[in-house]
Amino acid sequence: MSIPLYAPIDLERLPKHVAIIMDGNGRWAKQHKLKVAMGHRAGTEALREIIRNSSDIGIQALTLYAFSTENWTRPVTEVEALMQLILDFFQSEIDELDEKNVRITILGDKTGLPEKQCAALMEAEKRTGGNTGLRLNIAINYGSRAELTQAARKLAEKVKSGEINPEDVTEALFEQQLYTAGQPDVDLMIRTSGEMRLSNFLLWQCSYAEFVFPTVLWPDFDLKQYHECIAEFQGRKRRFGKREE
Ligand code: FPP
């Protein structure tokens, strides 16, 4: 079965790890004279399509920023709507994702979420834990500084207990303490809606990422937009700090 491509992309040179900041749901809702929750609902539809296609074209890892530690400060009705969408998403998609051999990992502190959401996320991780296809990471109640601080604390505890010495702390060992342990670094970071910020997302993992900032609002981000971002990534020269040949 041939996979339709909506921009000239080379399936042999795909970014291993794509991360997306799905920005612009609020503005999309305003444009359509809808409540903000409807923007997030439309955003969930876009996300379904991007996940499915990432699996189909052979992306190794896809990380989506669904809810940051700072998002708790939004109006209660919006937070409740997002929590409900997250729950609905896991309940409605889990069978198909599992069938597609997708392995789900949650980045962030699940214990800080309402009980139902926490249980659904844990169940999704457990059920898909042995899958070997797309690594789907969903960041929920996530903040990168908190992730890094927690990694440092875990290592400090290992030193304190005598399990390791301070000189054993290497980049590789540090990486193993992160939510994304063992996964490739982010190659391509996409943020929609024209904003050009990282907003406390994957600070370590994005060290050598290529950034693409399409102006489209997240609910309007479709497969054409996605493949255009990948094509742009494939057109970039990556040097990883080295001098060009
Ligand atoms: C940013 O748009 C988007 C979010 C804070 C939430 C993203 C969540 C989803 C797409 C759906 C829920 C997730 C799952 C996993 C089902 P914004 O509201 O900040 O947009 P604005 O800047 O235009 O106001």
Side-chain angles (χ1 to χ4, degrees):
M1 186 189 72
S2 82
I3 305 151
L5 299 177
Y6 302 93
I9 61 176
D10 177 356
L11 293 178
E12 302 297 316
R13 291 192 305 116
L14 288 174
K16 285 198 182 91
H17 189 164
V18 178
I20 309 183
I21 301 178
M22 308 179 285
D23 200 4
N25 293 346
R27 276 162 284 168
W28 185 92
K30 207 168 176 184
Q31 269 183 9
H32 291 78
K33 300 194 173 30
L34 294 168
K35 293 217 167 94
V36 67
M38 295 310 288
H40 294 311
R41 181 178 292 276
T44 307
E45 292 310 313
L47 157 159
R48 282 197 174 95
E49 205 179 7
I50 298 303
I51 295 172
R52 214 170 280 146
N53 189 256
S54 300
S55 164
D56 291 346
I57 64 175
I59 297 286
Q60 278 186 29
L62 174 69
T63 302
L64 302 165
Y65 208 177
F67 194 90
S68 74
T69 44
E70 289 74 32
N71 286 154
W72 294 110
T73 61
R74 293 194 175 197
V76 178
T77 48
E78 183 177 353
V79 171
E80 282 176 358
L82 277 166
M83 288 298 142
Q84 190 58 47
L85 280 171
I86 288 169
L87 189 61
D88 292 348
F89 173 83
F90 280 92
Q91 287 172 345
S92 65
E93 300 302 299
I94 189 70
D95 288 343
E96 187 188 331
L97 292 173
D98 194 21
E99 243 161 61
K100 276 186 169 292
N101 199 21
V102 172
R103 177 172 169 189
I104 298 170
T105 301
I106 305 302
L107 317 185
D109 180 12
K110 292 186 286 283
T111 63
L113 295 170
E115 226 169 277
K116 266 196 214 164
Q117 279 73 3
C118 178
L121 302 185
M122 280 168 66
E123 171 58 23
E125 285 186 315
K126 194 166 145 211
R127 179 165 163 191
T128 64
N131 289 350
T132 54
L134 173 72
R135 293 288 310 248
L136 174 63
N137 305 307
I138 307 197
I140 301 178
N141 196 21
Y142 173 86
S144 188
R145 287 183 176 179
E147 178 183 33
L148 295 170
T149 306
Q150 179 197 259
R153 191 177 305 131
K154 283 199 244 170
L155 289 172
E157 272 159 15
K158 286 186 203 292
V159 171
K160 191 177 170 197
S161 70
E163 195 185 320
I164 58 168
N165 292 313
E167 54 275 21
D168 297 328
V169 178
T170 58
E171 288 187 14
L173 191 64
F174 196 94
E175 190 275 334
Q176 281 171 32
Q177 319 307 315
L178 302 175
Y179 291 119
T180 50
Q183 298 194 45
D185 276 353
V186 173
D187 296 302
L188 169 60
M189 166 64 74
I190 300 168
R191 182 175 189 147
T192 55
S193 89
E195 304 291 344
M196 299 182 192
R197 288 186 297 277
L198 203 42
S199 302
N200 201 16
F201 191 41
L202 305 176
L203 302 177
W204 173 284
Q205 297 87 339
C206 278
S207 293
Y208 286 100
E210 294 293 328
F211 289 75
V212 178
F213 299 110
T215 52
V216 63
L217 303 176
W218 174 252
D220 291 329
F221 189 82
D222 58 15
L223 294 185
K224 183 164 189 302
Q225 304 271 344
Y226 187 35
H227 291 181
E228 279 169 1
C229 290
I230 295 174
E232 178 160 347
F233 165 84
Q234 291 183 332
R236 301 256 179 104
K237 238 196 182 117
R238 301 179 84 195
R239 302 212 324 259
F240 298 97
K242 297 187 189 110
R243 173 81 48 222
E244 264 182 88
E245 307 276 292

